[in-house]
Short mmCIF file of all heavy atoms in Angstrom, two decimals:
data_model
loop_
_atom_site.label_atom_id
_atom_site.label_comp_id
_atom_site.label_asym_id
_atom_site.label_seq_id
_atom_site.Cartn_x
_atom_site.Cartn_y
_atom_site.Cartn_z
N GLY D 47 16.88 -1.46 22.35
CA GLY D 47 16.63 -2.81 21.86
C GLY D 47 15.31 -2.90 21.11
O GLY D 47 15.22 -3.50 20.04
N TRP D 48 14.28 -2.26 21.64
CA TRP D 48 12.97 -2.24 20.98
C TRP D 48 13.07 -1.54 19.63
O TRP D 48 12.54 -2.01 18.64
CB TRP D 48 11.96 -1.54 21.90
CG TRP D 48 10.61 -1.40 21.24
CD1 TRP D 48 9.63 -2.33 21.19
CD2 TRP D 48 10.13 -0.27 20.53
NE1 TRP D 48 8.56 -1.85 20.49
CE2 TRP D 48 8.84 -0.57 20.07
CE3 TRP D 48 10.66 0.99 20.23
CZ2 TRP D 48 8.07 0.32 19.33
CZ3 TRP D 48 9.89 1.87 19.50
CH2 TRP D 48 8.62 1.53 19.06
N ALA D 49 13.75 -0.39 19.60
CA ALA D 49 13.89 0.36 18.35
C ALA D 49 14.63 -0.45 17.29
O ALA D 49 14.23 -0.50 16.13
CB ALA D 49 14.61 1.69 18.62
N CYS D 50 15.70 -1.09 17.69
CA CYS D 50 16.48 -1.91 16.75
C CYS D 50 15.63 -3.07 16.22
O CYS D 50 15.61 -3.34 15.02
CB CYS D 50 17.74 -2.44 17.44
SG CYS D 50 18.76 -3.45 16.36
N THR D 51 14.91 -3.75 17.11
CA THR D 51 14.06 -4.87 16.70
C THR D 51 12.99 -4.40 15.74
O THR D 51 12.73 -5.03 14.71
CB THR D 51 13.41 -5.53 17.94
OG1 THR D 51 14.45 -6.00 18.79
CG2 THR D 51 12.51 -6.69 17.54
N THR D 52 12.34 -3.27 16.04
CA THR D 52 11.29 -2.74 15.18
C THR D 52 11.84 -2.40 13.80
O THR D 52 11.25 -2.77 12.78
CB THR D 52 10.65 -1.49 15.82
OG1 THR D 52 10.12 -1.87 17.09
CG2 THR D 52 9.55 -0.93 14.94
N LEU D 53 12.97 -1.72 13.74
CA LEU D 53 13.57 -1.37 12.45
C LEU D 53 13.95 -2.61 11.66
O LEU D 53 13.75 -2.68 10.45
CB LEU D 53 14.79 -0.47 12.65
CG LEU D 53 14.48 0.96 13.08
CD1 LEU D 53 15.78 1.69 13.41
CD2 LEU D 53 13.70 1.69 12.01
N CYS D 54 14.50 -3.60 12.33
CA CYS D 54 14.88 -4.84 11.65
C CYS D 54 13.65 -5.55 11.09
O CYS D 54 13.66 -6.01 9.96
CB CYS D 54 15.63 -5.78 12.60
SG CYS D 54 17.27 -5.18 13.03
N LEU D 55 12.58 -5.63 11.88
CA LEU D 55 11.36 -6.30 11.42
C LEU D 55 10.72 -5.56 10.26
O LEU D 55 10.27 -6.16 9.30
CB LEU D 55 10.35 -6.44 12.56
CG LEU D 55 10.68 -7.49 13.61
CD1 LEU D 55 9.67 -7.42 14.75
CD2 LEU D 55 10.73 -8.88 13.01
N VAL D 56 10.69 -4.23 10.32
CA VAL D 56 10.08 -3.45 9.24
C VAL D 56 10.87 -3.64 7.96
O VAL D 56 10.31 -3.89 6.90
CB VAL D 56 10.00 -1.95 9.63
CG1 VAL D 56 9.68 -1.09 8.43
CG2 VAL D 56 8.96 -1.76 10.72
N SER D 57 12.19 -3.57 8.01
CA SER D 57 12.98 -3.74 6.80
C SER D 57 12.90 -5.18 6.30
O SER D 57 12.86 -5.43 5.10
CB SER D 57 14.44 -3.33 7.03
OG SER D 57 15.03 -4.17 7.99
N TYR D 58 12.82 -6.16 7.20
CA TYR D 58 12.72 -7.56 6.82
C TYR D 58 11.39 -7.81 6.12
O TYR D 58 11.32 -8.44 5.08
CB TYR D 58 12.83 -8.43 8.09
CG TYR D 58 13.06 -9.89 7.84
CD1 TYR D 58 14.32 -10.36 7.46
CD2 TYR D 58 12.03 -10.82 7.99
CE1 TYR D 58 14.54 -11.70 7.26
CE2 TYR D 58 12.25 -12.16 7.78
CZ TYR D 58 13.52 -12.60 7.41
OH TYR D 58 13.73 -13.93 7.20
N ALA D 59 10.30 -7.26 6.67
CA ALA D 59 8.97 -7.44 6.08
C ALA D 59 8.88 -6.73 4.74
O ALA D 59 8.29 -7.23 3.79
CB ALA D 59 7.90 -6.93 7.03
N ALA D 60 9.45 -5.54 4.64
CA ALA D 60 9.38 -4.79 3.39
C ALA D 60 10.08 -5.52 2.25
O ALA D 60 9.68 -5.41 1.10
CB ALA D 60 9.99 -3.40 3.59
N ALA D 61 11.11 -6.28 2.57
CA ALA D 61 11.86 -6.99 1.54
C ALA D 61 10.98 -7.98 0.79
O ALA D 61 11.15 -8.21 -0.39
CB ALA D 61 13.05 -7.71 2.16
N PHE D 62 9.99 -8.60 1.46
CA PHE D 62 9.16 -9.62 0.84
C PHE D 62 7.90 -9.05 0.20
O PHE D 62 7.19 -9.77 -0.47
CB PHE D 62 8.80 -10.70 1.86
CG PHE D 62 10.02 -11.43 2.35
CD1 PHE D 62 10.45 -11.27 3.65
CD2 PHE D 62 10.74 -12.25 1.51
CE1 PHE D 62 11.59 -11.92 4.10
CE2 PHE D 62 11.87 -12.91 1.95
CZ PHE D 62 12.30 -12.74 3.25
N SER D 63 7.61 -7.77 0.42
CA SER D 63 6.42 -7.20 -0.18
C SER D 63 6.58 -7.07 -1.69
O SER D 63 5.61 -6.89 -2.41
CB SER D 63 6.09 -5.84 0.44
OG SER D 63 7.10 -4.90 0.13
N HIS D 64 7.79 -7.19 -2.18
CA HIS D 64 8.06 -7.10 -3.62
C HIS D 64 8.41 -8.44 -4.22
O HIS D 64 9.00 -8.51 -5.29
CB HIS D 64 9.17 -6.08 -3.88
CG HIS D 64 8.81 -4.71 -3.41
ND1 HIS D 64 7.80 -3.96 -3.98
CD2 HIS D 64 9.28 -3.97 -2.39
CE1 HIS D 64 7.69 -2.82 -3.35
NE2 HIS D 64 8.57 -2.79 -2.37
N GLY D 65 8.09 -9.53 -3.54
CA GLY D 65 8.31 -10.86 -4.09
C GLY D 65 9.21 -11.72 -3.23
O GLY D 65 9.88 -11.24 -2.32
N ALA D 66 9.18 -13.00 -3.56
CA ALA D 66 9.99 -13.96 -2.83
C ALA D 66 11.47 -13.73 -3.13
O ALA D 66 11.83 -13.25 -4.20
CB ALA D 66 9.59 -15.38 -3.22
N SER D 67 12.31 -14.11 -2.18
CA SER D 67 13.74 -13.99 -2.39
C SER D 67 14.27 -15.26 -3.05
O SER D 67 13.62 -16.31 -3.05
CB SER D 67 14.46 -13.75 -1.06
OG SER D 67 14.43 -14.92 -0.28
N LEU D 68 15.47 -15.19 -3.58
CA LEU D 68 16.08 -16.35 -4.23
C LEU D 68 16.34 -17.48 -3.24
O LEU D 68 16.47 -18.63 -3.64
CB LEU D 68 17.38 -15.94 -4.93
CG LEU D 68 17.20 -15.02 -6.14
CD1 LEU D 68 18.56 -14.61 -6.69
CD2 LEU D 68 16.35 -15.68 -7.21
N SER D 69 16.34 -17.17 -1.95
CA SER D 69 16.54 -18.22 -0.95
C SER D 69 15.37 -19.20 -0.91
O SER D 69 15.49 -20.29 -0.36
CB SER D 69 16.77 -17.61 0.44
OG SER D 69 15.62 -16.92 0.86
N ALA D 70 14.24 -18.83 -1.51
CA ALA D 70 13.07 -19.71 -1.53
C ALA D 70 13.05 -20.62 -2.77
O ALA D 70 12.15 -21.45 -2.90
CB ALA D 70 11.79 -18.88 -1.50
N CYS D 71 14.01 -20.49 -3.66
CA CYS D 71 14.01 -21.26 -4.90
C CYS D 71 13.92 -22.77 -4.69
O CYS D 71 13.13 -23.44 -5.35
CB CYS D 71 15.26 -20.95 -5.72
SG CYS D 71 15.23 -19.35 -6.55
N THR D 72 14.69 -23.31 -3.80
CA THR D 72 14.78 -24.76 -3.65
C THR D 72 13.59 -25.36 -2.93
O THR D 72 12.97 -26.29 -3.43
CB THR D 72 16.08 -25.13 -2.91
OG1 THR D 72 17.18 -24.57 -3.63
CG2 THR D 72 16.25 -26.64 -2.84
N ASP D 73 13.23 -24.83 -1.75
CA ASP D 73 12.16 -25.44 -0.97
C ASP D 73 10.82 -24.72 -1.05
O ASP D 73 9.83 -25.18 -0.49
CB ASP D 73 12.58 -25.60 0.49
CG ASP D 73 12.88 -24.27 1.17
OD1 ASP D 73 12.61 -23.20 0.59
OD2 ASP D 73 13.38 -24.30 2.31
N MET D 74 10.78 -23.58 -1.74
CA MET D 74 9.57 -22.77 -1.92
C MET D 74 8.96 -22.29 -0.60
O MET D 74 7.77 -22.03 -0.51
CB MET D 74 8.53 -23.54 -2.76
CG MET D 74 9.01 -23.88 -4.15
SD MET D 74 7.74 -24.62 -5.19
CE MET D 74 6.74 -23.18 -5.57
N MET D 75 9.78 -22.15 0.42
CA MET D 75 9.32 -21.70 1.74
C MET D 75 9.54 -20.20 1.88
O MET D 75 10.65 -19.72 1.65
CB MET D 75 10.11 -22.40 2.85
CG MET D 75 9.87 -23.89 2.94
SD MET D 75 8.31 -24.29 3.69
CE MET D 75 8.70 -24.01 5.39
N PRO D 76 8.49 -19.46 2.27
CA PRO D 76 8.69 -18.04 2.58
C PRO D 76 9.66 -17.90 3.75
O PRO D 76 9.68 -18.75 4.63
CB PRO D 76 7.30 -17.56 2.98
CG PRO D 76 6.35 -18.56 2.40
CD PRO D 76 7.10 -19.86 2.41
N ARG D 77 10.44 -16.87 3.74
CA ARG D 77 11.40 -16.64 4.82
C ARG D 77 10.85 -15.59 5.78
O ARG D 77 11.49 -14.63 6.12
CB ARG D 77 12.75 -16.20 4.25
CG ARG D 77 13.40 -17.22 3.33
CD ARG D 77 13.66 -18.52 4.07
NE ARG D 77 14.44 -19.45 3.28
CZ ARG D 77 13.95 -20.52 2.68
NH1 ARG D 77 12.67 -20.79 2.74
NH2 ARG D 77 14.73 -21.33 2.00
N HIS D 78 9.60 -15.80 6.22
CA HIS D 78 8.96 -14.89 7.17
C HIS D 78 9.31 -15.34 8.58
O HIS D 78 9.66 -16.48 8.82
CB HIS D 78 7.44 -14.95 7.01
CG HIS D 78 6.96 -14.48 5.67
ND1 HIS D 78 5.64 -14.43 5.36
CD2 HIS D 78 7.61 -14.05 4.57
CE1 HIS D 78 5.49 -13.99 4.13
NE2 HIS D 78 6.67 -13.76 3.63
N LEU D 79 9.15 -14.42 9.53
CA LEU D 79 9.38 -14.75 10.93
C LEU D 79 8.13 -15.33 11.54
O LEU D 79 7.03 -14.85 11.30
CB LEU D 79 9.77 -13.48 11.70
CG LEU D 79 11.03 -12.77 11.22
CD1 LEU D 79 11.22 -11.49 12.01
CD2 LEU D 79 12.23 -13.67 11.37
N ARG D 80 8.28 -16.39 12.34
CA ARG D 80 7.19 -17.00 13.10
C ARG D 80 5.91 -17.15 12.30
O ARG D 80 4.86 -16.67 12.66
CB ARG D 80 6.91 -16.20 14.36
CG ARG D 80 7.99 -16.40 15.39
CD ARG D 80 7.61 -15.76 16.68
NE ARG D 80 8.02 -14.37 16.64
CZ ARG D 80 7.51 -13.42 17.38
NH1 ARG D 80 6.54 -13.66 18.20
NH2 ARG D 80 7.95 -12.20 17.30
N VAL D 81 5.98 -17.84 11.19
CA VAL D 81 4.80 -18.04 10.37
C VAL D 81 4.05 -19.30 10.79
O VAL D 81 4.61 -20.19 11.41
CB VAL D 81 5.16 -18.14 8.87
CG1 VAL D 81 5.64 -16.81 8.36
CG2 VAL D 81 6.17 -19.22 8.63
N GLN D 82 2.81 -19.37 10.40
CA GLN D 82 1.99 -20.54 10.65
C GLN D 82 1.86 -21.29 9.34
O GLN D 82 1.22 -20.83 8.40
CB GLN D 82 0.61 -20.10 11.15
CG GLN D 82 -0.33 -21.24 11.41
CD GLN D 82 -1.68 -20.73 11.89
OE1 GLN D 82 -1.88 -19.54 12.10
NE2 GLN D 82 -2.61 -21.64 12.04
#
């Protein structure tokens, strides 16, 4: 479970290091996990 969670978080974070996704077009909200 820990390994799966870590891999998912790493791939999720890497996706945004190259720019915002199209899902942010409307509300301009980053799709990060547990952000402040």
Side-chain angles (χ1 to χ4, degrees):
W48 176 84
C50 180
T51 301
T52 301
L53 288 173
C54 290
L55 287 175
V56 167
S57 63
Y58 194 77
F62 297 111
S63 66
H64 300 293
S67 71
L68 292 176
S69 64
C71 285
T72 304
D73 61 9
M74 299 186 74
M75 294 284 283
R77 299 300 188 255
H78 297 181
L79 300 176
R80 286 188 273 158
V81 291
Q82 179 181 355

